Amino acid sequence: MRLRFKLKTVFILYFTVSLLGLMYALMHLGQHCECSEHDMTKDRTISRLLGKLHSLQGHTKKEPTKPHLPTIYVITPTYARLVQKAELTRLSQTFLHVPQLHWIVVEDSSQRTDLVSHFLEHSGLVFTHLHIPTPQDRKLQEGDPNWLKPRGVEQRNEGLRWLRENIWVGEAAEGAVYFADDDNTYSLQLFEEMRWTQRVSVWPVGLVGGMRYEGPVVEQGRVVRFHTGWRPSRPFPLDMAGFAISLRLVLRNPEARFDGNSPMGFVESSFLQGLVTMEELEPKAEMCTKVLVWHTRTEKPKMKREEALQAQGLGSDSKVEV
């Protein structure tokens, strides 16, 4: 009983003190307060903390300023097919990780298509969208092997034309031009290898020409021959994915272009002859001992069920972009 009385007394006292404190605070709310001494203490604390912060900053190693990066101009021929958007999507996801890259996409078409236009607008990349059709007599027909006729010649030349008409030699202190097909696979390291190209840089390409890889053979820092399974006597037996050329060299040689009438396997040589000698080639990828690009191809989709449904009027909605 006595214990209960004591607890009750404590509770009343606690409630009374709290109520008085609240009333006092309410009475002084909004009144002027002589807080100068408190403010001085606060200012001194802030000043002391700022001093410590500056001291710490003085002992922190500053990040070095990144030097200006030469632009890599990537020219990609593309043409309408079921896997086109899938191929361009995969390629763009790689390019998004490459700083200072300008993507020049050239459609094999008489006009820009909505699919590619919308895709590029939402790609997040710096791009130029061009188009030029391949003459009918140079097009592969259904069932023709891929090697029968050179592909993408007109489109690559159109990309070169755009560069020469839109970039002045004086502006192009540094930069590289690379021809990237939309069905290959590229390591990010490859682009940093080519970025500082002085004339023509070279490297191996994997899964090409019926071999594990093809590419330059380097001895004592220089290209001396080429590892290839077909016509090694060609002036430059390189795959299109196996070299980059300096932007300045492109601009200073307006006559340099790909020859669509050149014999099979000589398209790359038709462009590089007159621009560089074997002795001037710049071996990259650890002296051409590493494969950083692969000549992959997406399997052509089989549409038998789609065609059967279309015959019944039940085909997929054509408004859904694939």
Side-chain angles (χ1 to χ4, degrees):
M1 187 75 177
R2 185 176 298 175
L3 179 61
R4 187 182 299 172
F5 176 78
K6 286 184 178 180
L7 288 173
K8 185 177 180 182
T9 305
V10 171
F11 177 79
I12 293 172
L13 286 172
Y14 177 80
F15 178 79
T16 304
V17 171
S18 298
L19 183 62
L20 289 172
L22 178 62
M23 291 175 64
Y24 179 83
L26 290 172
M27 289 173 61
H28 288 81
L29 187 67
Q31 294 186 14
H32 177 70
C33 174
E34 294 294 330
C35 300
S36 57
E37 192 170 322
H38 171 72
D39 288 340
M40 288 177 66
T41 304
K42 181 177 70 176
D43 290 341
R44 283 196 294 268
T45 303
I46 293 173
S47 178
R48 186 173 68 253
L49 290 173
L50 286 173
K52 288 184 177 180
L53 177 62
H54 292 151
S55 176
L56 286 171
Q57 288 177 336
H59 290 87
T60 303
K61 184 179 179 181
K62 293 185 178 180
E63 291 255 349
T65 304
K66 288 186 178 180
H68 168 70
L69 289 176
T71 300
I72 299 174
Y73 293 90
V74 178
I75 298 175
T76 297
T78 188
Y79 64 99
R81 61 203 190 277
L82 272 175
V83 298
Q84 182 183 30
K85 187 176 181 181
E87 302 278 34
L88 292 174
T89 297
R90 180 178 59 171
L91 191 54
S92 70
Q93 301 304 300
T94 297
F95 290 165
L96 282 169
H97 295 280
V98 182
Q100 205 63 24
L101 182 145
H102 186 135
W103 196 14
I104 303 173
V105 179
V106 191
E107 290 194 72
D108 185 352
S109 172
S110 57
Q111 61 185 10
R112 296 181 183 91
T113 64
D114 288 342
L115 185 148
V116 176
S117 296
H118 294 156
F119 172 80
L120 289 172
E121 287 168 6
H122 296 90
S123 68
L125 292 162
V126 177
F127 69 88
T128 296
H129 186 187
L130 307 173
H131 67 92
I132 187 171
T134 298
Q136 197 61 39
D137 61 335
R138 290 187 184 174
K139 285 195 173 205
L140 288 173
Q141 303 304 312
E142 189 68 30
D144 286 346
N146 290 325
W147 49 260
L148 186 61
K149 295 177 181 179
R151 296 180 299 165
V153 171
E154 283 77 17
Q155 290 72 40
R156 295 185 188 99
N157 285 335
E158 179 68 4
L160 292 170
R161 179 201 61 77
W162 185 89
L163 286 172
R164 288 162 177 152
E165 290 183 3
N166 290 274
I167 300 177
W168 296 98
V169 179
E171 296 174 357
E174 291 167 318
V177 179
Y178 184 53
F179 304 97
D181 290 348
D182 61 6
D183 56 355
N184 289 347
T185 303
Y186 305 89
S187 165
L188 293 177
Q189 184 183 340
L190 176 68
F191 298 96
E192 297 314 312
E193 295 273 340
M194 73 174 70
R195 190 182 295 279
W196 303 93
T197 298
Q198 298 302 305
R199 290 187 70 83
V200 176
S201 54
V202 292
W203 47 80
V205 178
L207 311 178
V208 63
M211 300 178 62
R212 291 177 62 244
Y213 72 92
E214 286 187 343
V217 176
V218 178
E219 293 179 1
Q220 297 181 349
R222 290 191 174 185
V223 176
V224 295
R225 62 183 181 277
F226 296 90
H227 176 66
T228 179
W230 187 78
R231 300 285 294 273
S233 60
R234 286 174 288 162
F236 293 97
L238 292 164
D239 184 78
M240 193 68 69
F243 68 92
I245 182 170
S246 82
L247 177 61
R248 180 170 289 176
L249 195 59
V250 167
L251 300 180
R252 288 181 173 175
N253 292 272
E255 74 290 344
R257 52 189 285 113
F258 295 96
D259 182 5
N261 294 316
S262 58
M264 184 179 64
F266 282 76
V267 175
E268 294 84 356
S269 295
S270 72
F271 176 65
L272 292 172
Q273 279 183 307
L275 292 178
V276 68
T277 63
M278 185 185 293
E279 292 74 22
E280 293 172 320
L281 293 176
E282 303 157 43
K284 302 292 185 180
E286 296 187 26
M287 290 295 162
C288 296
T289 61
K290 301 294 182 185
V291 173
L292 302 175
V293 55
W294 295 262
H295 211 284
T296 50
R297 284 195 181 94
T298 300
E299 183 181 0
K300 185 177 180 180
K302 295 178 175 63
M303 293 284 112
K304 289 183 178 179
R305 287 192 177 89
E306 181 70 36
E307 291 166 1
L309 287 172
Q310 286 177 353
Q312 302 172 44
L314 300 173
S316 300
D317 187 349
S318 60
K319 294 178 182 177
V320 176
E321 188 177 87
V322 177

